[in-house]
Amino acid sequence: MVGRIQWHVLPTLNKNQYGFMPQRGTEDALYHLLEHIKNEVRNKKIVLVISLDIEGAFDNAWWPALKLQLTKKKCPKNLYDMVGSYLQDRKITANYARATSEKGITEGCIQGSIGGPTFWNVILDSLLHQLTYEGVYCQAFADDVVLVFSGHSTSAVEQQANDTLKRVTKWGTKNKLKFAAHKTNAMLITKKLKFDYPNLHMSGSRVNLVEAIRVLGLTIDRGLTFKPHVAAACKKAADIYKQLACAAKVTWGLNGEIVRTIYVAVVEPIVMYASSAWSSATELQMIKDQLNTLQKGFA
């Protein structure tokens, strides 16, 4: 069923959705995001990055919104009816203190289900298409949504961002999804020496302005130096190696081949994660020294 729905629906999904899509992953999303940000900074623009947080996204996916989108995407009637049957008469049961309580449910992508990821992409797609149509650079990986605004003045960027956040909140209300303003972070990137910080609001709450923002496991700092990310990755790799080394000593002993296996299979992937996006940072001597120090230990 899901395979057939994907055959009809995948070609219609917004190209800025990277989650659960064939031949696409987190590193593709990060590479394209950073390339866009760097191009805007090179053009001497003020860039504002906003990372949105949807509260319990998969648990709160509303089935009528899914059915509406399938209708708009001209999903064949037999598949549409099959989805309706699949969602019909679902119940949640809780056992507590020798009592059983049962309740019908009308929302949520079933945990661990094959259809959940595709259903979620279909629901979120209308928001991505709306934002793209309005000229906003947006990106999503499943329920992680990032917005990028740019302009030559802070006031223009602030106005565009606040207007977009209102529309995003309105879309959430319409589709029974709540965006958590207190978990939404924004970061300003600019090479200008004189600039004002924007005042951003969402659902009546002020959006936090941060010095570094974490997107899909990559820490992006305001200066695009990636120093915090490399430092954290090196520390994580070293800590994991210590734990694995202790375990390996007991059973196999820690000869050169075992160390090499651990390095290639565990340490290198941790350090190299999303390197296509932050590779420019290796021009800095400080970053080189950090990476070399970690590598020399294994060498």
Side-chain angles (χ1 to χ4, degrees), residues 2-246:
V2 174
R4 289 179 178 188
I5 289 170
Q6 286 177 343
W7 193 86
H8 287 282
V9 167
L10 284 186
T12 70
L13 293 183
N14 192 289
K15 64 182 177 62
N16 290 327
Q17 172 60 273
Y18 289 82
F20 315 121
M21 297 289 281
Q23 307 299 316
R24 308 191 107 186
T26 54
E27 300 209 19
D28 299 299
L30 291 168
Y31 176 77
H32 290 133
L33 175 65
L34 265 299
E35 281 300 296
H36 176 75
I37 291 171
K38 287 173 185 174
N39 282 335
E40 295 300 285
V41 171
R42 273 195 290 269
N43 290 330
K44 297 180 180 177
K45 290 184 179 180
I46 293 172
V47 178
L48 180 68
V49 182
I50 300 178
S51 172
L52 298 175
D53 184 271
I54 304 174
E55 287 186 355
F58 281 81
D59 293 336
N60 294 318
W62 194 41
W63 296 345
L66 168 64
K67 290 179 178 179
L68 177 64
Q69 288 306 311
L70 286 174
T71 304
K72 285 184 176 179
K73 292 183 183 298
K74 298 179 180 176
C75 179
K77 189 176 186 304
N78 62 325
L79 289 176
Y80 178 87
D81 289 343
M82 203 181 286
V83 171
S85 175
Y86 172 73
L87 298 174
Q88 198 173 14
D89 296 330
R90 285 198 173 268
K91 294 181 176 65
I92 186 165
T93 306
N95 297 311
Y96 183 71
R98 297 181 185 177
T100 300
S101 180
E102 198 175 77
K103 185 184 178 185
I105 52 173
T106 58
E107 60 185 16
C109 295
I110 291 78
Q111 291 286 339
S113 68
I114 295 168
T118 300
F119 292 161
W120 171 256
N121 280 355
V122 170
I123 291 171
L124 189 66
D125 191 59
S126 61
L127 174 64
L128 298 180
H129 274 300
Q130 181 186 326
L131 294 173
T132 304
Y133 178 75
E134 290 166 0
V136 177
Y137 184 90
C138 60
Q139 222 186 60
F141 191 94
D143 60 331
D144 287 319
V145 183
V146 178
L147 309 177
V148 181
F149 305 92
S150 56
H152 291 288
S153 70
T154 305
S155 57
V157 171
E158 180 186 305
Q159 182 68 45
Q160 189 190 9
N162 279 323
D163 289 346
T164 302
L165 289 174
K166 282 179 187 173
R167 286 193 288 273
V168 166
T169 305
K170 189 177 177 182
W171 178 90
T173 304
K174 186 179 174 184
N175 290 276
K176 295 197 183 297
L177 288 167
K178 190 177 178 184
F179 288 87
H182 62 284
K183 287 185 181 177
T184 296
N185 290 322
M187 180 176 69
L188 201 67
I189 303 172
T190 179
K191 288 194 173 178
K192 294 186 178 184
L193 297 175
K194 285 188 176 182
F195 60 90
D196 297 317
Y197 285 98
N199 288 314
L200 304 171
H201 297 275
M202 189 177 193
S203 307
S205 302
R206 191 164 180 168
V207 175
N208 298 323
L209 276 170
V210 295
E211 293 295 307
I213 206 164
R214 192 167 170 81
V215 180
L216 300 175
L218 176 68
T219 303
I220 306 169
D221 57 288
R222 281 192 57 210
L224 298 180
T225 63
F226 298 100
K227 288 177 186 176
H229 175 76
V230 174
C234 287
K235 184 181 183 303
K236 182 182 176 183
D239 289 346
I240 287 176
Y241 171 71
K242 285 171 191 171
Q243 293 171 13
L244 286 171
C246 289

